[in-house]
Amino acid sequence: MGDFISRRDWLKVLGLAGAGTWLHRTAVARPVADIPPAPAPSTLPAGEILPLTSTSEIFVPPRGRSFQKFSFDFPEPSVAFGDYTFGFLVFTDENTYGLDRSRMRVEGNGDALRVICDGFVWAGGQMTAPGRLTALLRRSGTAIEWDAVAEMREHPIKTVTTIVRRVPRGQVSFGGGGFRDPHDNELQAGYTFGAGDLNGPGGSMVTPLLMIQGASDVFYLSSLDTRVRPKRFYLAPGETSYRVEAVYEHDAWRDDTRVEVPTWRLGRAASAEEATALHLRHIEQAFGLTPWETRTDVPAWMRNLAMVTTLHGMHYTGYIFNDFAKMSEILRWMRTQIPGERVLVFISAWDGRYYWDYPTYTVSKRMGGDAGFRRLVSEAHAMGFKIMPMFGTNAANTKLPIWPRIAAGVTKKIDGNVYDLDWVDWNNDRHQDGWLRYMNLGADVWREHLEGRIAEMIERYGVDAYFLDIVGGHVNSTTGDMHEGTRRLVLNLRRRYPHVACVGEMPYDALHGFIPMFQVGLGPLWSKYSRSYQHLSSPAPGRGSSGVHESGFGRFDAATLSLSEHAIPTLQVVDDTFTAHRDVMAAIIAKAKERAGIA
């Protein structure tokens, strides 16, 4: 997702049109007269230390929506550099620490400054603590870049925040998405997956980029980290400017008392396109992103796709939308409408009760068993179709017999609390269910289990691709590096089965480096690197059923056939689609052929 968005809104949008259009909307431009005047250029000498606090230069109390904050003035001594001031906070697992103004010194000039602080304060400045922070601020062309090293003697460091003041107000964009007018609201967004908690405060962004549209140019702030680690932006408004927190969260599986903060960069650009291009040049280099046309991990059949069809299997409750025999029947008819070679068949919930049977991943007996699934794949291949079963990247039912063998692979957030996948009311008792754990591919036991299940499906049935559900759900876990574990899983399978493709859900920037297709509209920004089709929750023809997905029903748009502008045309097939809405199926197929230039 390239824009600031809550999970609730995200699911609502997916039920409407597959996410692509809304997530990458362009906001109506705010009249220039309505944009607060920019702060006057700084006349402060470079290196001057200002005795600021957490409430300096912002609205107190807040005038709009706000987030939790200290109810007193916490010291934030800040150093002038360029048109901005820079301060720092250090967080451990037990408290918040600020710079001790009496132990700060600055070296350098208007082109480069070194900020050195030989001690911290806590308890709002009432107490002191040993430690050290060194930051280097420097001009890089028209931009300002900085990094920092924080050291604590007694406690491991988990987060280091840079506080940037005098940032101009205007329309705001997170993650390269559309701009919106925040009025006097405070804002927060996290990279990625809400910085590890999609259900937490604020929104989510797929790349750590903040942009603010001013009257004549665009302010931008981005992280130049070369690894996937949480970043957060928090904006508190004042009359003419924002107090911005640029938050770096350190590796949860480490207990470092010395932390090197990756480089941050801010500047002004003539347009959002220019600012985004600057950021993407770093992302491409850091994570090995290459254009779709030159990717080496895209099989020929994927380049030739005209349509994806999602054949819904078994709901959480055990209700079967389509068993394997019915899926075969649907594909036989579909072959009369479109060449099978141009269609990817996405089979969701082929393994039993949706999510309940995660992560056993054996073919459902009720849906037709081994023989039925083998026959489905064989017949589909004979007609040219490509088959892709669904796997959950990070979900495991603790009530299944397999749980004790994989329990060590659970995700634990940076403070040590177990991360539960508990945001769905699967059984409709109006209470979110809590029997699922969120698993971490950075833990060997979980990665090896999932890799083994996918490998068996490839070897046993000859499937052409595998789908990784919520693969973009990165969490900074104490049990290992989730991104690197994900990358290792995909590359291991690619080495073993070079002609089998990986497809994922909910991409963030670095995933485009090794996954070429996703289930969620990418929009124009990320379609340079990957392709996408529509989410399985998109409304099916007729009543708009979401099939196995928990959202229930959306509104199927007969005029647009609920097809997304930026995604491969996708046909959702639930229980009554083939029997009652075959004419709409034919219309969707015809539109897919038209887009692909198939006569």
Side-chain angles (χ1 to χ4, degrees):
M1 291 172 285
D3 201 356
F4 173 89
I5 182 170
S6 71
R7 176 176 171 80
R8 178 179 298 174
D9 288 339
W10 178 69
L11 290 175
K12 180 179 178 182
V13 170
L14 291 179
L16 294 176
T21 303
W22 188 86
L23 292 179
H24 296 274
R25 69 197 186 284
T26 299
V28 176
R30 183 180 180 187
V32 171
D34 291 344
I35 297 176
S42 176
T43 58
L44 297 170
E48 180 171 343
I49 302 174
L50 288 79
L52 304 178
T53 73
S54 55
T55 60
S56 299
E57 302 177 10
I58 63 172
F59 296 135
V60 178
R63 294 184 180 179
R65 185 188 65 181
S66 64
F67 295 84
Q68 295 173 1
K69 56 180 62 66
F70 294 147
S71 54
F72 55 89
D73 298 328
F74 195 97
E76 292 177 359
S78 299
V79 175
F81 189 71
D83 292 333
Y84 311 93
T85 65
F86 296 83
F88 299 89
L89 295 172
V90 177
F91 301 82
T92 69
D93 61 356
E94 52 78 52
N95 214 334
T96 306
Y97 295 88
L99 304 187
D100 186 338
R101 171 66 184 85
S102 67
R103 307 195 68 180
M104 289 178 66
R105 64 184 187 277
V106 178
E107 302 170 350
N109 53 39
D111 292 322
L113 281 182
R114 187 177 302 278
V115 181
I116 304 164
C117 185
D118 290 319
F120 296 122
V121 297
W122 56 282
Q126 296 172 350
M127 302 293 290
T128 62
R132 180 181 174 89
L133 183 136
T134 304
L136 177 62
L137 298 99
R138 58 197 175 275
R139 294 188 180 274
S140 178
T142 60
I144 293 174
E145 295 181 357
W146 72 96
D147 42 49
V149 177
E151 300 172 79
M152 294 288 291
R153 295 182 186 176
E154 299 177 358
H155 301 284
I157 297 169
K158 69 173 187 177
T159 304
V160 179
T161 292
T162 304
I163 302 159
V164 187
R165 282 187 172 82
R166 302 183 63 79
V167 173
R169 290 185 57 179
Q171 295 189 66
V172 177
S173 163
F174 288 113
F179 286 85
R180 65 190 184 97
D181 186 349
H183 302 288
D184 285 337
N185 293 316
E186 297 176 6
L187 299 174
Q188 179 173 310
Y191 165 82
T192 177
F193 201 60
D197 187 358
L198 190 59
N199 301 289
S204 185
M205 49 186 173
V206 300
T207 195
L209 171 64
L210 164 67
M211 294 187 289
I212 303 175
Q213 176 70 63
S216 59
D217 61 7
V218 172
F219 169 90
Y220 64 87
L221 194 164
S222 66
S223 171
L224 302 186
D225 199 352
T226 57
R227 292 175 53 195
V228 176
R229 292 182 281 202
K231 314 293 186 307
R232 297 178 181 88
F233 294 125
Y234 168 74
L235 284 68
E239 288 291 350
T240 63
S241 64
Y242 282 115
R243 171 188 175 275
V244 175
E245 295 180 5
V247 183
Y248 163 76
E249 185 176 289
H250 194 51
D251 303 325
W253 61 94
R254 303 169 65 96
D255 288 321
D256 294 330
T257 55
R258 181 181 186 277
V259 167
E260 297 182 7
V261 179
T263 301
W264 293 97
R265 177 170 62 195
L266 67 75
R268 308 291 279 264
S271 66
E273 290 75 17
E274 179 184 328
T276 302
L278 286 170
H279 178 71
L280 287 181
R281 280 203 287 271
H282 165 74
I283 295 299
E284 289 175 350
Q285 183 176 7
F287 301 120
L289 275 60
T290 57
W292 168 263
E293 291 76 13
T294 59
R295 293 189 71 129
T296 59
D297 57 352
V298 180
W301 62 261
M302 183 176 281
R303 295 191 185 279
N304 203 36
L305 284 179
M307 189 179 81
V308 175
T309 185
T310 303
L311 301 184
H312 290 263
M314 188 184 296
H315 189 266
Y316 157 81
T317 62
Y319 178 84
I320 296 176
F321 289 93
N322 301 287
D323 62 15
F324 300 143
K326 186 177 178 183
M327 291 180 186
S328 293
E329 181 184 2
I330 292 167
L331 293 182
R332 286 194 293 270
W333 172 83
M334 198 175 292
R335 180 63 181 83
T336 68
Q337 307 292 307
I338 186 173
E341 296 83 3
R342 308 298 297 273
V343 179
L344 173 62
V345 181
F346 173 38
I347 303 179
S348 60
W350 53 274
D351 54 315
R353 293 171 58 188
Y354 186 57
Y355 270 78
W356 177 266
D357 283 315
Y358 284 12
T360 305
Y361 299 124
T362 57
V363 172
S364 167
K365 293 181 179 179
R366 284 187 60 214
M367 290 180 63
D370 177 83
F373 193 80
R374 190 180 299 276
R375 185 162 49 250
L376 167 63
V377 176
S378 178
E379 291 184 6
H381 283 168
M383 294 183 284
F385 294 102
K386 304 301 179 184
I387 298 293
M388 180 175 68
M390 179 177 188
F391 297 85
T393 309
N394 39 37
N397 185 351
T398 60
K399 296 182 181 294
L400 297 180
I402 194 176
W403 173 249
R405 302 201 300 272
I406 59 173
V410 71
T411 297
K412 294 184 179 180
K413 296 169 73 172
I414 193 165
D415 290 317
N417 51 314
V418 171
Y419 190 30
D420 292 326
L421 203 164
D422 58 358
W423 56 72
V424 179
D425 173 17
W426 295 103
N427 60 7
N428 285 193
D429 65 353
R430 309 309 163 194
H431 173 76
Q432 292 176 319
D433 295 302
W435 36 265
L436 279 169
R437 292 290 184 272
Y438 201 90
M439 307 300 285
N440 179 18
L441 285 173
D444 292 346
V445 65
W446 173 244
R447 185 182 61 257
E448 290 167 1
H449 170 78
L450 187 59
E451 182 178 329
R453 301 315 302 142
I454 296 172
E456 180 172 321
M457 289 298 294
I458 295 171
E459 294 180 0
R460 189 177 183 90
Y461 302 104
V463 298
D464 306 280
Y466 59 95
F467 176 79
L468 295 177
D469 188 28
I470 321 185
V471 72
H474 180 270
V475 179
N476 187 20
S477 176
T478 63
T479 54
D481 189 330
M482 187 175 288
H483 175 77
E484 285 304 310
T486 304
R487 183 174 178 272
R488 183 174 172 184
L489 170 81
V490 174
L491 296 185
N492 283 352
L493 288 167
R494 185 168 299 151
R495 279 191 290 269
R496 296 171 66 181
Y497 314 105
H499 302 297
V500 177
C502 176
V503 178
E505 185 193 20
M506 298 170 59
Y508 55 82
D509 49 12
L511 288 182
H512 293 277
F514 55 88
I515 299 179
M517 180 176 284
F518 294 92
Q519 180 202 240
V520 166
L522 302 177
L525 183 61
W526 300 101
S527 59
K528 174 182 177 181
Y529 313 105
S530 305
R531 294 294 181 265
S532 68
Y533 65 99
Q534 291 174 243
H535 198 269
L536 85 167
S537 67
S538 300
R543 297 182 299 164
S545 168
S546 64
V548 300
H549 190 269
E550 65 271 16
S551 55
F553 292 91
R555 186 176 297 278
F556 182 81
D557 189 332
T560 65
L561 301 174
S562 285
L563 296 178
S564 172
E565 177 184 355
H566 299 295
I568 298 170
T570 307
L571 171 57
Q572 310 290 340
V573 183
V574 296
D575 46 356
D576 64 348
T577 311
F578 186 58
T579 56
H581 304 287
R582 204 172 304 184
D583 57 335
V584 184
M585 293 178 68
I588 292 173
I589 293 171
K591 180 60 68 172
K593 291 169 65 177
E594 177 186 325
R595 288 193 188 180
I598 302 174

